[in-house]
Amino acid sequence: MPTIDESIDIDVPISTAYDQWTQFEEFPQFMGGVDEVRQVSDTMTHWRTSIAGVDREFDAQITAQEPDRQISWRSVDGKTHEGNVTFEPLGATQTRVRVRTVWEPEGFTEKAGAALGADDRQVKADLKRFKEFIENRGVETGGWRGQV
C-alpha cells in the first residue's frame, strides 16, 4: 500500500492552522480533486472526489482529534484509506503541518499514478494551496475544538 508523508511550514499560529483544518467542508478550496466534503457528525465526513478521471464517494470517520496536535481518520466503506495530520508549533506564529496517509489504489489508473508518485505530488500541492489559503486569509474560517 502506498504511504504518503508530506509536510509544510505555515506562517500562522498553530491554533489558526488547526482550526482551519477542522473545517472539512472548506477542503475543496485548496485540495485538488476534492469536489465536496460534508460534515455528517462530529466524527463522520462524506467525501466526493474526482481524481485523474476516477470519481469516488466515501465516508471517513475521525478516529482521534486533539486540538492543536492531530486529527486521524479512516475510511469506513470498505476502501483502505487512513491517515493522520499533525500540527507542530515552530514558534508563536509558525506551524509545521504534516500529512501521512496510507491507501490501497484500485484499478490501473490509480495503481499507475501511485507507482509514478502522483499521490505524493498531489498531497504536496494540496499542502501548498492550504498554506496560501490560510496565510492570505490570516484567520481561520471557523474551528472545532472538540476532542475525539
Side-chain angles (χ1 to χ4, degrees), residues 90-101:
L90 300 176
T93 61
Q94 193 174 43
T95 305
R96 177 166 294 141
V97 177
R98 172 163 298 198
V99 175
R100 293 182 180 129
T101 65

Side-chain angles (χ1 to χ4, degrees), residues 9-143:
D9 296 345
I10 301 175
D11 294 326
V12 297
I14 193 167
S15 61
T16 302
Y18 173 85
D19 285 352
Q20 185 60 56
W21 200 276
T22 67
Q23 301 306 291
F24 304 109
E25 293 184 355
E26 302 284 337
F27 280 12
Q29 293 189 54
F30 56 83
M31 285 190 175
V34 176
D35 298 323
E36 177 186 28
V37 180
R38 279 187 291 118
Q39 181 91 36
V40 179
S41 70
D42 287 347
T43 60
M44 190 66 67
T45 55
H46 180 79
W47 294 65
R48 209 169 40 79
T49 63
S50 178
I51 301 171
V54 178
D55 296 333
R56 284 200 178 192
E57 284 196 47
F58 62 93
D59 294 322
Q61 179 180 22
I62 298 166
T63 58
Q65 188 165 341
E66 300 173 62
D68 298 338
R69 296 209 49 219
Q70 72 156 342
I71 302 170
S72 300
W73 70 91
R74 67 176 170 77
S75 60
V76 295
D77 61 356
K79 309 274 189 266
T80 302
H81 181 262
E82 61 185 61
N84 178 268
V85 59
T86 57
F87 304 85
E88 176 187 349
L90 300 176
T93 61
Q94 193 174 43
T95 305
R96 177 166 294 141
V97 177
R98 172 163 298 198
V99 175
R100 293 182 180 129
T101 65
V102 177
W103 72 296
E104 184 64 43
E106 296 178 2
F108 176 78
T109 301
E110 289 182 358
K111 289 178 181 177
L116 296 171
D119 306 331
D120 295 277
R121 288 190 302 278
Q122 181 66 53
V123 171
K124 185 176 276 193
D126 290 345
L127 284 172
K128 183 178 178 186
R129 284 190 297 272
F130 177 72
K131 173 183 172 72
E132 292 167 358
F133 178 84
I134 193 62
E135 285 181 356
N136 287 339
R137 285 186 54 80
V139 297
E140 61 274 27
T141 61

